[in-house]
Coordinates of all heavy atoms in Angstrom, one line a residue:
Chain M
R26 N -22.6 -5.8 4.1 CA -21.5 -6.4 4.8 C -20.2 -5.9 4.2 O -19.2 -5.5 4.8 CB -21.6 -7.9 4.6 CG -20.5 -8.7 5.4 CD -20.4 -10.1 4.9 NE -20.1 -10.2 3.5 CZ -20.9 -10.8 2.6 NH1 -22.0 -11.4 2.9 NH2 -20.6 -10.8 1.3
R51 N 2.9 11.1 -10.3 CA 3.9 10.4 -11.1 C 3.2 9.2 -11.8 O 3.5 9.0 -13.0 CB 5.1 9.9 -10.2 CG 6.1 11.0 -9.9 CD 7.3 10.3 -9.3 NE 7.1 9.8 -8.0 CZ 7.2 10.4 -6.9 NH1 7.4 11.7 -6.9 NH2 7.0 9.9 -5.8
W55 N 3.1 8.8 -15.8 CA 3.6 7.6 -16.6 C 2.5 7.1 -17.5 O 2.8 6.7 -18.6 CB 4.0 6.5 -15.6 CG 5.4 6.7 -15.0 CD1 5.7 6.9 -13.7 CD2 6.6 6.7 -15.7 NE1 7.1 6.9 -13.5 CE2 7.7 6.8 -14.8 CE3 7.0 6.5 -17.1 CZ2 9.0 6.9 -15.1 CZ3 8.3 6.5 -17.4 CH2 9.3 6.7 -16.4
A61 N 0.0 9.0 -24.9 CA 0.3 10.0 -25.9 C 0.9 9.5 -27.1 O 0.7 10.1 -28.2 CB 1.2 11.1 -25.2
N62 N 1.7 8.4 -27.0 CA 2.3 7.8 -28.2 C 2.1 6.3 -28.2 O 3.0 5.5 -28.3 CB 3.8 8.0 -28.2 CG 4.3 9.4 -28.3 OD1 3.7 10.3 -27.6 ND2 5.2 9.7 -29.1
D64 N 1.0 4.1 -30.1 CA 1.4 3.2 -31.2 C 2.9 2.9 -31.1 O 3.3 1.7 -31.2 CB 1.2 3.9 -32.6 CG 1.6 5.3 -32.6 OD1 1.8 5.9 -31.5 OD2 1.8 5.9 -33.7
D65 N 3.7 3.9 -30.8 CA 5.1 3.7 -30.6 C 5.5 2.7 -29.5 O 6.3 1.8 -29.6 CB 5.9 5.0 -30.3 CG 5.8 5.9 -31.5 OD1 5.7 5.4 -32.7 OD2 5.7 7.1 -31.3
R69 N 7.2 -0.9 -29.5 CA 8.3 -1.2 -28.7 C 8.1 -2.5 -27.8 O 9.0 -3.3 -27.7 CB 8.6 0.0 -27.8 CG 9.9 0.0 -27.1 CD 10.4 1.4 -27.1 NE 11.3 1.7 -26.0 CZ 11.9 2.8 -25.8 NH1 11.7 3.8 -26.6 NH2 12.8 3.0 -24.8
E71 N 6.1 -4.9 -28.5 CA 6.0 -6.0 -29.4 C 7.4 -6.5 -29.8 O 7.7 -7.7 -29.8 CB 5.2 -5.7 -30.7 CG 5.1 -6.8 -31.7 CD 4.4 -6.3 -33.0 OE1 4.9 -5.2 -33.5 OE2 3.5 -7.0 -33.5
E89 N -12.7 -11.2 -32.6 CA -11.4 -11.5 -33.1 C -10.5 -12.1 -32.0 O -9.7 -13.1 -32.2 CB -10.7 -10.3 -33.7 CG -9.6 -10.6 -34.7 CD -9.0 -9.4 -35.3 OE1 -9.6 -8.3 -35.3 OE2 -7.8 -9.5 -35.8
T133 N -10.0 -20.1 -12.2 CA -9.3 -20.6 -11.0 C -9.2 -19.5 -9.9 O -8.9 -19.8 -8.7 CB -7.8 -21.0 -11.3 OG1 -7.1 -19.8 -11.8 CG2 -7.8 -22.1 -12.3
D134 N -9.4 -18.2 -10.2 CA -9.6 -17.2 -9.1 C -10.8 -17.6 -8.3 O -11.8 -18.0 -8.9 CB -9.8 -15.9 -9.8 CG -10.1 -14.8 -8.8 OD1 -9.2 -14.2 -8.2 OD2 -11.3 -14.5 -8.6
G136 N -13.1 -16.2 -6.6 CA -14.3 -15.5 -6.9 C -14.9 -15.9 -8.3 O -16.1 -16.1 -8.4
N158 N -23.0 -14.6 -0.6 CA -22.6 -14.8 0.7 C -22.2 -16.3 0.9 O -22.3 -17.1 0.0 CB -23.7 -14.4 1.7 CG -25.0 -15.3 1.6 OD1 -24.9 -16.4 1.0 ND2 -26.1 -14.8 2.1
V159 N -21.7 -16.6 2.1 CA -21.1 -17.9 2.3 C -22.2 -19.0 2.1 O -21.8 -20.1 1.6 CB -20.5 -18.0 3.7 CG1 -21.5 -17.8 4.8 CG2 -19.7 -19.3 3.9
I178 N -15.8 -20.6 6.1 CA -15.1 -20.0 5.0 C -13.7 -20.6 4.7 O -13.5 -21.0 3.6 CB -15.1 -18.5 5.1 CG1 -16.5 -17.9 5.0 CG2 -14.2 -17.9 4.0 CD1 -16.6 -16.5 5.2
R183 N -10.3 -24.2 1.2 CA -9.5 -25.5 1.0 C -10.2 -26.4 0.0 O -9.5 -27.0 -0.8 CB -9.4 -26.2 2.4 CG -8.4 -25.6 3.3 CD -7.7 -26.6 4.2 NE -6.7 -27.4 3.4 CZ -5.5 -26.9 3.1 NH1 -5.1 -25.7 3.3 NH2 -4.6 -27.7 2.4
R186 N -9.4 -25.3 -3.3 CA -8.0 -25.6 -3.6 C -7.9 -27.1 -4.1 O -7.3 -27.4 -5.1 CB -7.1 -25.4 -2.4 CG -5.6 -25.8 -2.7 CD -4.8 -25.6 -1.4 NE -3.5 -26.3 -1.5 CZ -2.3 -25.7 -1.6 NH1 -2.3 -24.3 -1.7 NH2 -1.2 -26.4 -1.7
R190 N -6.8 -28.1 -7.9 CA -5.5 -28.6 -8.1 C -5.3 -29.6 -9.3 O -4.5 -29.4 -10.2 CB -4.9 -29.2 -6.8 CG -3.4 -29.4 -6.7 CD -2.6 -28.3 -7.2 NE -2.1 -27.2 -6.4 CZ -1.1 -27.2 -5.6 NH1 -0.5 -28.3 -5.3 NH2 -0.8 -26.1 -4.9
L194 N -3.0 -29.2 -12.9 CA -2.0 -30.2 -13.3 C -2.3 -30.8 -14.7 O -1.4 -31.3 -15.4 CB -1.8 -31.3 -12.3 CG -1.4 -30.8 -10.9 CD1 -1.5 -31.8 -9.8 CD2 0.1 -30.3 -11.0
N218 N -3.2 -12.6 -5.6 CA -3.0 -12.9 -4.2 C -3.1 -14.4 -4.0 O -2.6 -15.0 -3.0 CB -4.1 -12.3 -3.4 CG -3.8 -10.8 -3.1 OD1 -2.7 -10.5 -2.7 ND2 -4.7 -10.0 -3.3
E219 N -3.8 -15.1 -4.9 CA -4.1 -16.5 -4.6 C -3.0 -17.5 -5.1 O -3.0 -18.7 -4.8 CB -5.4 -16.9 -5.3 CG -6.6 -16.1 -4.7 CD -7.9 -16.5 -5.2 OE1 -8.0 -17.5 -6.0 OE2 -8.9 -15.9 -4.9
R223 N 0.3 -17.6 -11.1 CA 1.6 -18.3 -11.3 C 1.4 -19.7 -11.8 O 2.1 -20.2 -12.7 CB 2.3 -18.3 -10.0 CG 2.9 -17.0 -9.6 CD 3.6 -17.0 -8.2 NE 4.9 -17.8 -8.3 CZ 5.5 -18.2 -7.2 NH1 4.9 -18.1 -6.0 NH2 6.6 -18.9 -7.3
L245 N 10.3 -0.5 -16.1 CA 10.1 -0.9 -14.7 C 10.1 0.4 -13.8 O 9.5 0.3 -12.8 CB 11.2 -1.8 -14.3 CG 11.2 -3.2 -15.0 CD1 12.3 -4.1 -14.5 CD2 9.9 -3.9 -14.8
D246 N 10.7 1.4 -14.3 CA 10.7 2.7 -13.5 C 9.2 3.1 -13.4 O 8.8 3.7 -12.3 CB 11.4 3.8 -14.3 CG 12.9 3.9 -14.0 OD1 13.2 3.4 -12.9 OD2 13.6 4.3 -14.8
A249 N 7.1 0.8 -10.7 CA 7.2 1.0 -9.3 C 6.1 1.8 -8.6 O 5.4 1.3 -7.7 CB 8.6 1.5 -8.9
P250 N 5.9 3.0 -9.1 CA 4.8 3.8 -8.5 C 3.4 3.1 -8.7 O 2.6 3.2 -7.8 CB 4.8 5.1 -9.2 CG 5.7 4.9 -10.4 CD 6.6 3.8 -10.2
R253 N 3.0 0.5 -6.2 CA 2.7 1.0 -4.8 C 1.3 1.5 -4.7 O 0.7 1.4 -3.6 CB 3.6 2.2 -4.6 CG 5.1 1.8 -4.4 CD 6.0 2.9 -3.9 NE 7.3 2.4 -3.8 CZ 8.3 2.7 -4.7 NH1 8.1 3.5 -5.7 NH2 9.5 2.1 -4.5
N266 N 0.2 -10.6 -3.1 CA 1.2 -11.6 -2.7 C 2.1 -12.0 -3.8 O 3.3 -12.4 -3.5 CB 0.4 -12.9 -2.2 CG -0.1 -12.6 -0.8 OD1 -1.2 -12.3 -0.6 ND2 0.8 -12.7 0.2
V268 N 3.6 -10.8 -7.5 CA 3.7 -9.9 -8.7 C 4.7 -10.6 -9.7 O 5.8 -10.9 -9.3 CB 4.4 -8.5 -8.3 CG1 4.6 -7.7 -9.6 CG2 3.5 -7.8 -7.3
S269 N 4.1 -11.0 -10.8 CA 4.9 -11.8 -11.8 C 5.2 -10.9 -13.0 O 4.4 -10.3 -13.5 CB 4.2 -13.0 -12.2 OG 3.9 -13.8 -11.1
L270 N 6.5 -11.0 -13.4 CA 6.9 -10.4 -14.7 C 7.3 -11.5 -15.6 O 8.3 -12.2 -15.3 CB 8.1 -9.5 -14.5 CG 7.9 -8.1 -13.8 CD1 7.7 -8.3 -12.3 CD2 9.0 -7.2 -14.1
T272 N 8.3 -13.1 -19.3 CA 8.9 -12.7 -20.6 C 9.2 -13.9 -21.4 O 10.1 -14.7 -21.1 CB 10.2 -12.0 -20.3 OG1 10.1 -11.1 -19.2 CG2 10.7 -11.1 -21.5
G273 N 8.3 -14.2 -22.3 CA 8.5 -15.3 -23.3 C 8.3 -16.7 -22.7 O 7.9 -16.8 -21.5
R276 N 12.8 -21.6 -21.5 CA 14.0 -21.5 -22.2 C 14.8 -22.8 -22.1 O 14.5 -23.7 -21.3 CB 14.9 -20.4 -21.5 CG 14.1 -19.1 -21.6 CD 15.0 -17.9 -21.5 NE 14.1 -16.7 -21.5 CZ 14.4 -15.6 -20.8 NH1 15.5 -15.5 -20.1 NH2 13.6 -14.6 -20.9
G278 N 16.9 -25.7 -21.2 CA 17.4 -26.2 -19.8 C 16.3 -26.0 -18.8 O 16.4 -26.6 -17.7
D279 N 15.3 -25.2 -19.0 CA 14.2 -25.0 -18.0 C 13.5 -26.3 -17.8 O 13.2 -27.0 -18.7 CB 13.2 -23.9 -18.5 CG 13.7 -22.5 -18.2 OD1 14.7 -22.4 -17.5 OD2 13.0 -21.6 -18.6
E281 N 10.5 -26.3 -16.5 CA 9.0 -26.0 -16.6 C 8.8 -24.7 -17.3 O 9.7 -24.0 -17.6 CB 8.4 -26.0 -15.2 CG 9.2 -25.1 -14.3 CD 8.9 -25.3 -12.8 OE1 8.7 -26.5 -12.4 OE2 9.0 -24.4 -12.0
D292 N -8.0 -4.1 -28.9 CA -8.5 -2.7 -29.1 C -9.9 -2.6 -28.5 O -10.1 -2.1 -27.4 CB -8.5 -2.3 -30.6 CG -8.9 -0.8 -30.7 OD1 -9.7 -0.3 -29.9 OD2 -8.5 -0.2 -31.7
S296 N -9.1 2.5 -28.9 CA -8.4 3.5 -29.7 C -9.4 4.7 -30.0 O -8.9 5.8 -30.2 CB -8.0 2.9 -31.1 OG -9.1 2.3 -31.7
E297 N -10.7 4.4 -30.0 CA -11.7 5.5 -30.1 C -11.5 6.6 -29.1 O -11.9 7.7 -29.3 CB -13.1 4.9 -30.0 CG -13.6 4.2 -31.2 CD -14.0 5.2 -32.3 OE1 -14.8 6.1 -32.0 OE2 -13.4 5.2 -33.4
L299 N -8.8 7.6 -27.6 CA -7.6 8.3 -27.7 C -7.8 9.7 -28.3 O -8.7 9.8 -29.3 CB -6.5 7.6 -28.5 CG -5.8 6.5 -27.8 CD1 -5.0 5.7 -28.8 CD2 -4.9 7.0 -26.7
Chain K
S4 N -5.0 -6.6 -38.6 CA -5.6 -6.0 -37.4 C -4.5 -5.1 -36.8 O -4.8 -4.0 -36.3 CB -6.0 -7.0 -36.4 OG -7.1 -7.8 -36.9
R5 N -3.3 -5.6 -36.9 CA -2.2 -4.8 -36.3 C -2.1 -3.4 -37.0 O -2.1 -2.3 -36.4 CB -0.9 -5.5 -36.5 CG 0.3 -4.8 -36.0 CD 1.6 -5.7 -36.3 NE 2.8 -5.1 -35.6 CZ 3.5 -4.2 -36.2 NH1 3.2 -3.6 -37.3 NH2 4.6 -3.7 -35.5
R11 N -5.4 3.5 -36.6 CA -6.5 4.2 -35.8 C -5.8 5.1 -34.7 O -6.2 6.2 -34.5 CB -7.3 3.2 -35.0 CG -8.5 2.7 -35.9 CD -9.3 1.8 -34.9 NE -10.2 0.9 -35.6 CZ -10.8 -0.1 -35.1 NH1 -10.5 -0.5 -33.9 NH2 -11.6 -0.9 -35.8
R13 N -2.8 6.3 -34.7 CA -2.1 7.4 -35.3 C -3.1 8.5 -35.7 O -2.9 9.7 -35.6 CB -1.3 7.0 -36.4 CG 0.0 6.3 -35.9 CD 0.9 5.7 -37.0 NE 1.9 4.9 -36.3 CZ 2.3 3.8 -36.8 NH1 1.8 3.3 -37.9 NH2 3.2 3.1 -36.1
R15 N -6.0 9.1 -34.4 CA -6.6 9.8 -33.3 C -5.6 10.7 -32.6 O -6.0 11.8 -32.1 CB -7.1 8.7 -32.2 CG -8.0 7.7 -32.6 CD -9.4 8.1 -32.9 NE -9.9 9.1 -31.9 CZ -11.1 9.5 -31.9 NH1 -12.0 9.0 -32.7 NH2 -11.5 10.4 -31.0
R16 N -4.4 10.3 -32.6 CA -3.5 11.2 -31.9 C -2.9 12.3 -32.9 O -2.2 13.2 -32.5 CB -2.3 10.5 -31.2 CG -1.4 9.8 -32.1 CD -0.2 9.4 -31.3 NE 1.0 10.0 -31.9 CZ 2.2 9.5 -32.1 NH1 2.4 8.3 -31.7 NH2 3.1 10.1 -32.7
S20 N 4.5 9.0 -36.5 CA 5.3 8.4 -35.5 C 6.4 9.3 -35.0 O 7.1 10.0 -35.7 CB 5.9 7.1 -36.1 OG 6.5 6.4 -35.0
S21 N 6.6 9.3 -33.7 CA 7.8 10.0 -33.1 C 8.4 9.0 -32.1 O 7.7 8.2 -31.5 CB 7.4 11.3 -32.4 OG 6.6 10.9 -31.3
P23 N 9.6 7.1 -29.1 CA 9.2 7.2 -27.7 C 10.3 7.6 -26.8 O 11.5 7.3 -27.1 CB 8.7 5.8 -27.3 CG 9.2 4.9 -28.4 CD 9.5 5.8 -29.6
L28 N 10.7 11.2 -17.3 CA 10.2 10.7 -16.0 C 11.1 9.7 -15.4 O 10.9 9.3 -14.3 CB 8.8 10.0 -16.3 CG 7.7 11.0 -16.4 CD1 6.5 10.4 -17.1 CD2 7.3 11.4 -15.0
T31 N 12.2 9.0 -11.5 CA 11.5 9.9 -10.6 C 10.4 9.1 -9.9 O 9.5 9.7 -9.3 CB 10.8 11.0 -11.3 OG1 9.9 10.5 -12.3 CG2 11.8 11.9 -12.0
S32 N 10.5 7.8 -9.9 CA 9.3 7.0 -9.4 C 9.5 6.6 -8.0 O 8.7 6.0 -7.4 CB 9.2 5.8 -10.3 OG 10.4 5.0 -10.2
G33 N 10.6 7.1 -7.3 CA 10.9 6.6 -6.0 C 9.9 7.1 -5.0 O 9.2 8.1 -5.1
Q34 N 9.7 6.3 -4.0 CA 8.8 6.6 -2.9 C 9.6 7.5 -1.9 O 9.2 7.9 -0.9 CB 8.5 5.3 -2.2 CG 7.0 5.1 -1.9 CD 6.7 5.3 -0.4 OE1 6.5 6.4 0.0 NE2 6.8 4.2 0.3
S105 N 12.2 -29.9 -10.1 CA 10.9 -29.3 -10.2 C 10.0 -30.0 -9.1 O 10.2 -31.1 -8.8 CB 10.4 -29.7 -11.6 OG 9.7 -28.7 -12.1
S108 N 3.1 -32.4 -7.4 CA 1.9 -32.0 -6.7 C 1.9 -32.6 -5.3 O 1.2 -32.2 -4.4 CB 0.7 -32.2 -7.5 OG 0.4 -33.6 -7.5
E123 N 11.3 -2.7 1.4 CA 10.1 -1.9 1.3 C 8.8 -2.7 1.4 O 7.8 -2.3 2.1 CB 10.1 -1.1 0.0 CG 8.8 -0.3 -0.2 CD 8.7 0.3 -1.6 OE1 9.6 0.1 -2.4 OE2 7.6 0.9 -1.9
P133 N 16.9 -23.0 -15.1 CA 17.0 -24.4 -14.9 C 17.3 -24.8 -13.4 O 16.9 -25.9 -13.0 CB 18.3 -24.7 -15.8 CG 18.3 -23.6 -16.8 CD 17.8 -22.4 -16.1
P136 N 13.6 -23.7 -10.4 CA 12.2 -23.8 -11.0 C 11.1 -23.2 -10.0 O 11.2 -23.3 -8.8 CB 12.0 -25.4 -11.0 CG 13.1 -25.9 -10.2 CD 14.2 -24.9 -10.1
D137 N 10.2 -22.5 -10.7 CA 9.2 -21.8 -10.0 C 8.3 -22.7 -9.1 O 7.8 -22.3 -8.1 CB 8.3 -21.1 -11.0 CG 7.8 -19.7 -10.6 OD1 8.5 -19.1 -9.7 OD2 6.8 -19.3 -11.1
S138 N 8.1 -23.9 -9.6 CA 7.1 -24.8 -9.0 C 7.5 -25.1 -7.5 O 6.6 -25.4 -6.7 CB 7.0 -26.1 -9.7 OG 8.2 -26.7 -9.8
S140 N 8.4 -23.1 -5.2 CA 7.9 -22.1 -4.3 C 6.4 -22.0 -4.5 O 5.7 -21.1 -3.9 CB 8.5 -20.8 -4.5 OG 8.3 -20.4 -5.9
L142 N 3.9 -25.1 -5.6 CA 3.0 -26.2 -5.4 C 2.9 -26.7 -4.0 O 1.8 -27.0 -3.5 CB 3.4 -27.4 -6.4 CG 3.1 -27.2 -7.9 CD1 3.7 -28.3 -8.7 CD2 1.6 -27.1 -8.1
E144 N 2.7 -26.8 0.1 CA 1.9 -26.0 1.1 C 2.9 -25.1 1.9 O 2.5 -24.1 2.4 CB 1.2 -26.9 2.1 CG 0.0 -27.6 1.6 CD -1.3 -26.9 2.0 OE1 -1.3 -26.4 3.1 OE2 -2.2 -26.9 1.1
E160 N 12.8 0.1 -6.8 CA 13.7 0.7 -7.8 C 15.1 0.0 -7.6 O 15.7 -0.4 -8.6 CB 13.9 2.2 -7.6 CG 12.8 3.0 -8.1 CD 11.6 3.1 -7.2 OE1 11.7 2.5 -6.1 OE2 10.6 3.7 -7.6
W163 N 14.9 -3.4 -9.2 CA 15.0 -3.4 -10.7 C 16.5 -3.3 -11.1 O 17.0 -4.0 -12.0 CB 14.3 -2.3 -11.4 CG 12.8 -2.1 -11.0 CD1 12.2 -0.9 -11.0 CD2 11.8 -3.1 -10.7 NE1 10.8 -1.1 -10.7 CE2 10.6 -2.4 -10.5 CE3 11.8 -4.5 -10.5 CZ2 9.4 -3.0 -10.1 CZ3 10.6 -5.1 -10.1 CH2 9.4 -4.4 -9.9
P173 N 16.3 -10.1 -19.4 CA 15.3 -10.4 -18.4 C 15.0 -11.9 -18.4 O 14.9 -12.5 -19.4 CB 14.0 -9.7 -18.9 CG 14.2 -9.6 -20.4 CD 15.6 -9.6 -20.7
R175 N 12.9 -15.5 -17.8 CA 11.5 -15.8 -18.3 C 10.5 -15.3 -17.2 O 9.5 -14.6 -17.6 CB 11.3 -17.2 -18.5 CG 9.9 -17.5 -19.0 CD 9.5 -19.0 -19.0 NE 9.1 -19.5 -17.7 CZ 7.9 -19.3 -17.2 NH1 7.0 -18.5 -17.8 NH2 7.6 -19.8 -16.0
V177 N 10.1 -13.4 -13.4 CA 10.5 -12.8 -12.1 C 9.2 -12.7 -11.3 O 8.2 -12.2 -11.7 CB 11.0 -11.3 -12.3 CG1 11.4 -10.7 -11.0 CG2 12.2 -11.3 -13.3
T178 N 9.3 -13.2 -10.1 CA 8.1 -13.1 -9.2 C 8.5 -12.5 -7.9 O 9.5 -12.9 -7.3 CB 7.5 -14.5 -8.9 OG1 7.2 -15.1 -10.2 CG2 6.2 -14.4 -8.2
L179 N 7.8 -11.5 -7.5 CA 7.9 -10.9 -6.2 C 6.9 -11.6 -5.3 O 5.7 -11.5 -5.5 CB 7.7 -9.4 -6.1 CG 8.3 -8.6 -7.2 CD1 8.0 -7.1 -7.0 CD2 9.8 -8.8 -7.3
S181 N 5.3 -12.1 -1.7 CA 5.2 -11.4 -0.4 C 4.2 -12.1 0.5 O 3.0 -12.0 0.4 CB 4.7 -10.0 -0.6 OG 5.4 -9.4 -1.7
P183 N 2.4 -15.7 2.3 CA 1.7 -16.9 1.8 C 0.5 -16.4 0.9 O 0.1 -15.3 1.0 CB 1.1 -17.5 3.0 CG 1.1 -16.5 4.1 CD 2.3 -15.6 3.8
S184 N 0.1 -17.3 0.0 CA -1.0 -17.0 -0.9 C -2.3 -16.8 0.0 O -2.4 -17.4 1.1 CB -1.2 -18.0 -1.9 OG -1.7 -19.2 -1.3
R185 N -3.2 -16.0 -0.5 CA -4.4 -15.8 0.3 C -5.6 -15.4 -0.6 O -5.4 -15.1 -1.8 CB -4.2 -14.6 1.3 CG -4.0 -13.3 0.6 CD -3.4 -12.3 1.6 NE -2.1 -12.7 2.1 CZ -1.6 -12.2 3.2 NH1 -2.1 -11.3 3.9 NH2 -0.4 -12.7 3.6
T186 N -6.8 -15.5 -0.1 CA -8.0 -15.1 -0.8 C -8.9 -14.4 0.1 O -8.9 -14.7 1.3 CB -8.7 -16.2 -1.5 OG1 -9.8 -15.7 -2.2 CG2 -9.1 -17.3 -0.5
D188 N -12.2 -13.8 -1.2 CA -13.3 -13.8 -2.2 C -14.6 -14.2 -1.6 O -15.6 -14.0 -2.2 CB -12.9 -14.6 -3.4 CG -12.2 -13.8 -4.5 OD1 -12.2 -12.5 -4.3 OD2 -11.7 -14.3 -5.5
E190 N -17.0 -13.4 1.2 CA -17.4 -12.4 2.2 C -16.2 -11.6 2.7 O -16.2 -11.1 3.9 CB -18.1 -13.1 3.4 CG -19.4 -13.8 3.0 CD -20.3 -14.1 4.2 OE1 -19.9 -13.9 5.3 OE2 -21.5 -14.5 3.9
Q192 N -13.5 -12.2 3.8 CA -12.8 -12.7 4.9 C -11.4 -13.3 4.4 O -11.4 -14.1 3.5 CB -13.6 -13.8 5.7 CG -12.8 -14.4 6.9 CD -13.6 -15.5 7.5 OE1 -14.8 -15.4 7.7 NE2 -12.9 -16.6 7.9
A197 N -4.3 -20.1 -0.4 CA -5.2 -20.3 -1.5 C -4.6 -21.4 -2.4 O -4.5 -22.5 -2.0 CB -5.5 -19.0 -2.2
H198 N -4.2 -21.0 -3.6 CA -3.7 -22.0 -4.5 C -2.2 -22.2 -4.3 O -1.6 -23.2 -4.7 CB -4.0 -21.6 -6.0 CG -5.4 -21.6 -6.3 ND1 -6.2 -22.8 -6.2 CD2 -6.3 -20.6 -6.7 CE1 -7.4 -22.5 -6.5 NE2 -7.5 -21.2 -6.8
G199 N -1.5 -21.2 -3.8 CA -0.1 -21.3 -3.6 C 0.2 -21.7 -2.1 O -0.7 -22.3 -1.5

Side-chain angles (χ1 to χ4, degrees):
Chain M
R26 190 193 56 237
R51 283 194 290 275
W55 280 117
N62 296 47
D64 48 343
D65 296 327
R69 192 142 155 178
E71 183 188 45
E89 204 180 339
T133 63
D134 171 87
N158 64 19
V159 63
I178 292 174
R183 282 213 74 76
R186 177 183 165 110
R190 196 39 92 80
L194 298 167
N218 280 312
E219 297 183 5
R223 283 177 75 197
L245 294 181
D246 274 335
R253 291 190 179 105
N266 282 99
V268 176
S269 302
L270 285 78
T272 321
R276 302 203 182 149
D279 274 356
E281 55 199 27
D292 184 335
S296 58
E297 280 286 302
L299 282 172
Chain K
S4 294
R5 182 181 186 275
R11 274 187 198 160
R13 283 179 190 138
R15 306 286 321 187
R16 66 166 240 222
S20 191
S21 68
L28 279 160
T31 62
S32 58
Q34 227 254 88
S105 214
S108 68
E123 177 193 353
D137 216 25
S138 57
S140 60
L142 287 174
E144 286 262 324
E160 284 78 5
W163 309 149
R175 183 190 81 77
V177 176
T178 305
L179 313 184
S181 316
S184 71
R185 65 194 62 197
T186 180
D188 271 350
E190 299 198 352
Q192 180 181 319
H198 296 297

